[in-house]
Amino acid sequence: MEKVWFITGCSTGFGRALAEHVLSIGHNVVVTARNISDISNLIVGHESKALTLSLDVTKPDQITAAVNKAVERFGRIDVLVNNAGIGYFGAVEESEDESVRKMFEINFFGLGNMTKAVLPVMRKQRSGHIINIASIGGLVAFPALGYYNASKFAVDGLSEALSKEVAHLGIHVTIVAPSGFRTDWAGRSAENSKIVIADYADTAGANKSFIRGYSGNQPGDPNRAAQAIVKAVESKEPPLRLLLGAAALKGAMAKIDVLKKDFDTWSETTVWADHPKEN
């Protein structure tokens, strides 16, 4: 069935690949980016099914205007893809408040505000699907990514709670957790802390260099990711969490093992912490 998709952050990466794929299979798409010139060539040949809008998700007035224009053009919004996001590299102690807050405004608060703006449309329809692009870094933390991890852990938690609030309204929520894909995330879309502390060279510093070094050579294919996301949306039972990439699966399974070990080892102490049961 033909749907109306609303996708943020379409200038590059997942957003661009997804917009291209969804248009190619006949859906209507609201294609957005901060600079509309970056996406104008995306809709060539699909003008009747596409709407391009300038949108900075940190600006609530632009969010409201974009949602209103989408509904005016297509009458509904079936799928919201919260893709806009940036990265930030630095050990926790090295990280600068201004840069961290900027990242949270985009990765978390922008996503939340977009979701709140679209929910009234989906509630009225009694249907919809919200796709939140998180990261394997929203399940597993890595050195040099502490605050980035925090922003994506926050997306994961918000999304899980939201899924329990809206399921009875016919609205699905899926958290997409990719590992390394050939997008700009590890390139121009991520900022380095200007503070460098030598004591973190072997942990945060080493991981930062590794991630930067393989930018453009990651195993993940954004075009296949786009197809996987569409498959999840079209499923009769969409997943709450969709891992993308072999490294994401490996990392998530290892995290489960670590959690289980701690929970099992400390289970006696965990239960002991409750008030004693009265006889």
Side-chain angles (χ1 to χ4, degrees), residues 123-165:
R123 283 193 294 107
K124 184 178 180 180
Q125 296 168 180
R126 282 302 194 262
S127 67
H129 200 141
I130 296 169
I131 303 288
N132 288 335
I133 307 296
S135 168
I136 186 57
L139 291 171
V140 184
F142 303 93
L145 296 176
Y147 280 107
Y148 175 77
N149 289 142
S151 74
K152 294 301 186 177
F153 270 70
V155 167
D156 191 282
L158 179 77
S159 302
E160 184 175 333
L162 178 64
S163 72
K164 296 174 181 178
E165 294 171 353

Side-chain angles (χ1 to χ4, degrees), residues 88 90-97 146-147 193 195-197 199-200 204:
Y88 180 76
V92 171
E93 189 179 350
E94 295 170 338
S95 297
E96 304 145 304
D97 282 356
Y147 280 107
S193 169
I195 301 168
V196 178
I197 299 172
D199 281 343
Y200 298 116

Side-chain angles (χ1 to χ4, degrees), residues 31-124:
V31 184
T32 74
R34 283 182 298 171
N35 299 314
I36 201 165
S37 60
D38 292 339
I39 55 176
S40 58
N41 63 342
L42 238 173
I43 68 165
V44 174
H46 302 284
E47 289 83 357
S48 66
K49 288 185 170 293
L51 173 65
T52 56
L53 297 174
S54 176
L55 174 60
D56 181 339
V57 299
T58 67
K59 300 185 183 301
D61 58 331
Q62 290 189 19
I63 290 175
T64 300
V67 171
N68 288 341
K69 287 176 182 177
V71 175
E72 287 171 10
R73 171 67 182 276
F74 296 115
R76 59 190 295 115
I77 298 172
D78 298 298
V79 185
L80 168 64
V81 182
N82 283 309
N83 170 70
I86 61 172
Y88 180 76
F89 299 144
V92 171
E93 189 179 350
E94 295 170 338
S95 297
E96 304 145 304
D97 282 356
E98 183 177 354
S99 295
V100 167
R101 291 176 187 277
K102 173 186 173 183
M103 179 177 60
F104 266 85
E105 286 295 334
I106 298 169
N107 291 5
F108 179 68
F109 291 108
L111 176 149
N113 287 335
M114 270 302 319
T115 301
K116 289 194 289 183
V118 170
L119 278 172
V121 179
M122 292 185 173
R123 283 193 294 107
K124 184 178 180 180

Side-chain angles (χ1 to χ4, degrees), residues 89 143-144 186 192 200-201 203-215:
F89 299 144
N192 277 353
Y200 298 116
T203 54
N207 196 42
K208 178 170 60 178
S209 296
F210 171 74
I211 294 171
R212 290 290 197 191
Y214 85 168
S215 181

